[in-house]
């Protein structure tokens, strides 16, 4: 497995992460990226969709977004993600069909599933990629990710083993564009066995879903410059004055216990790309920027004119946030 006749491995596979039957946005981003790789070096694009009954429509939708084949595994016992049977099925399919590349979102599910699969198929895995490219001659996947605390970007290759496997960060790549006229094949798979060592009794949705930083159009984030947990109220007030924006945070504030981790933006938090990102009292260290520099417009409020956040800000306000933010709220309310 893995090493050996690597030329026998063909095609780009994407793990079709779904939750409650809804295919996750990162899958469409991976389809967009796979399309770009296949334009450089022609390759067939497939999605493996595993879940409960009734995924046929979702499979069809994946074809409209560029999948040429969808390997569909439907079973009511697989409705919720479960690492054992999902890893068994992925391994079985990889052994049988031998894809050259396997991509998954760097989501909790992707990060739980794919290392198990990589070990079983005896191949390499690059976690948390922020960009991908392909060597057109040898078909090597060039997997780029931050390394050494985000200070350098490392490009990793897997020359001797197949498939080449990577988890890719959400919101970094452009999603595929839908074309309902696309044709593809849905291949129904019945797994050999469904091994269930754990039983899912109940699914509790986290508060995280309410914060929903990943999908927010506007995010107002607070950093250490706000000085104390209770001052997050000011950040919340600005967020509501902006029409219900989401509230983000730097790691310094999370580590200080001022706000829960699910608000954290950055390398070890969420990657976001809203239309507007307002950074209040955030210095702009590389690990924070890694999670928000894709934002369309960045407004930074900081009393230090040399704060690195100003290097990437579209608009910068040098001033004390306790004076600037109340003025902004007042102006917004007047409008
Ligand atoms: P500081 O760097 O202390 O900056 C506070 C800023 O507030 C200063 O620029 C100051 O001038 C300004 N300020 C102070 N008072 C005021 C005022 N009254 N008005 C206006 N401005 C004021 N960080 C993240 O954010 N997200 C991550 O995911 C993340 N992951 C990391 C992963 C690793 C492996 C490592 C090593 C670090 C990571 N960090 C992350 C931490 C990161 O390096 C920084 O320490 C952190 O981002 C700093 O947070 P901050 O900007 O809020 O605080």
């Amino acid at each position: 497995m893995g090493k050996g006749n690597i030329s026998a491995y063909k095609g780009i596979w994407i793990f079709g992460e779904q939750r409650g039957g809804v295919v996750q946005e990162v899958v469409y981003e991976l389809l967009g990226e796979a399309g770009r790789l296949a334009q450089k070096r022609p390759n067939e694009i497939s999605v493996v969709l595993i879940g409960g009954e009734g995924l046929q429509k979702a499979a069809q939708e994946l074809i409209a977004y560029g999948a040429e084949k969808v390997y569909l595994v439907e079973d009511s016992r697989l409705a919720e993600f479960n690492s054992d049977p999902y890893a068994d099925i992925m391994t079985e399919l990889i052994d049988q069909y031998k894809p050259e590349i396997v991509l998954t979102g760097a989501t909790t599910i992707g990060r739980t599933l794919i290392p198990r699969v990589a070990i079983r198929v005896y191949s390499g895995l690059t976690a948390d990629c922020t960009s991908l490219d392909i060597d057109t001659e040898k078909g090597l996947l060039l997997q780029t990710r931050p390394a050494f605390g985000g200070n350098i970007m490392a490009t990793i290759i897997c020359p001797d083993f197949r498939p080449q496997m990577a988890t890719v960060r959400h919101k970094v790549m452009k999603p595929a564009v839908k074309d309902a006229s696309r044709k593809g094949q849905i291949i129904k798979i019945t797994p050999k066995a469904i091994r269930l060592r754990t039983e899912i009794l109940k699914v509790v949705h986290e508060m995280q879903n309410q914060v929903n930083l990943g999908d927010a159009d506007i995010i107002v984030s607070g950093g250490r410059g706000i000085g104390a947990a209770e001052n997050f109220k000011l950040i919340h007030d600005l967020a509501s004055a902006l029409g219900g924006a989401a509230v983000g945070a730097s790691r310094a504030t999370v580590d200080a216990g001022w706000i829960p981790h699910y608000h954290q933006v950055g390398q070890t938090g969420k990657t976001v790309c809203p239309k507007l990102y307002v950074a209040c009292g955030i210095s702009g260290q590389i690990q924070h920027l890694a999670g928000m520099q894709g934002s369309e417009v960045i407004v930074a409020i900081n009393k230090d004119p040399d704060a690195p956040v100003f290097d990437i800000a579209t608009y910068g306000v040098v001033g004390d946030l306790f004076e600037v933010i109340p003025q902004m709220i007042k102006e917004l309310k007047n409008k």
Side-chain angles (χ1 to χ4, degrees), residues 136-147:
T136 50
E137 208 178 303
K138 293 185 183 148
L140 285 178
L141 184 66
L142 310 176
Q143 307 157 69
T144 302
R145 54 151 298 152

Side-chain angles (χ1 to χ4, degrees), residues 148-150 169 222-227 249-253 255 261 264-270 280-289 301-304 307-309 319-322:
F148 295 107
R169 276 209 155 200
R224 207 194 316 255
I226 67 162
S250 73
R251 175 158 157 184
T253 62
D255 287 351
H261 177 260
Q264 185 181 314
V265 172
Q267 191 185 317
T268 41
K270 293 263 167 54
C280 311
I282 293 178
S283 57
Q285 298 306 312
I286 189 148
Q287 297 88 354
H288 187 81
L289 304 188
I301 307 165
N302 197 305
K303 65 179 184 187
D304 173 7
V309 70
D320 185 335
L321 64 88
F322 295 102

Side-chain angles (χ1 to χ4, degrees), residues 22 172 180 218 319:
V22 179
V172 179
I218 305 179

